[in-house]
Amino acid sequence: MSALLNSLRKRIPYNDLLYFLLIYLSVNSILLGVELVVRGTSAAVLRVIILFGILFGWLLGRSRIRFGPALALAVISGFILTVLRVSGIGAAAWNLLGGALGFLWRWVFQRISDPSRLISLISILQARTLESLASLSQWAG
């Protein structure tokens, strides 16, 4: 872990770390204000999106991608991440991946093939996806 931190410290200047901290604190302050005003908003859910946005914006700024494509990429990826995070599709997909790996492990090494948990996880992912698509279509239409 220490080697990873030293490697990151060498690649990311201290000024950039200070900028990250200041941007995070300012956006988090706005988020806490929104949480007080808008009912049902959870700052804990949106903090991950803030961190992703700061990191992704920094990486796009360091890349050779021009402004227009970088802006389109940032908007599209932000929208997708927000939908996946808020709707719970991301968590359901992560649980499905873990369940599938566990099923494969038991099937290959223990010769146990009970797919009931896997089928349950697939149905949860399907239900969340359909709910999200219905909400997005209602919002867009």
Side-chain angles (χ1 to χ4, degrees):
M1 186 70 174
S2 175
L4 176 66
L5 291 176
N6 285 334
S7 174
L8 286 175
R9 187 180 54 84
K10 291 177 184 175
R11 292 185 182 178
I12 301 174
Y14 287 118
N15 289 343
D16 288 354
L17 291 175
L18 182 62
Y19 293 145
F20 291 155
L21 179 63
L22 290 175
I23 291 170
Y24 176 76
L25 289 175
S26 62
V27 175
N28 191 40
S29 298
I30 294 169
L31 177 64
L32 291 175
V34 169
E35 184 182 31
L36 290 174
V37 175
V38 179
R39 291 183 189 164
T41 305
S42 172
V45 171
L46 299 177
R47 278 193 187 103
V48 174
I49 297 170
I50 290 172
L51 290 172
F52 174 77
I54 292 170
L55 180 64
F56 194 63
W58 179 72
L59 290 173
L60 282 175
R62 291 183 57 116
S63 71
R64 296 177 191 246
I65 300 174
R66 292 186 184 180
F67 178 76
L71 179 64
L73 185 62
V75 168
I76 291 169
S77 63
F79 180 76
I80 290 171
L81 179 68
T82 302
V83 168
L84 291 177
R85 179 74 176 162
V86 171
S87 68
I89 294 173
W94 188 255
N95 290 337
L96 177 61
L97 178 65
L101 291 175
F103 174 77
L104 286 174
W105 178 268
R106 288 187 303 277
W107 184 61
V108 170
F109 294 108
Q110 299 173 353
R111 301 288 184 218
I112 301 171
S113 61
D114 181 23
S116 61
R117 177 160 163 42
L118 199 58
I119 292 170
S120 172
L121 291 172
I122 290 171
S123 66
I124 291 171
L125 179 63
Q126 181 184 15
R128 288 190 182 171
T129 303
L130 291 174
E131 286 176 12
S132 299
L133 288 174
S135 297
L136 282 173
S137 67
Q138 184 181 14
W139 176 72

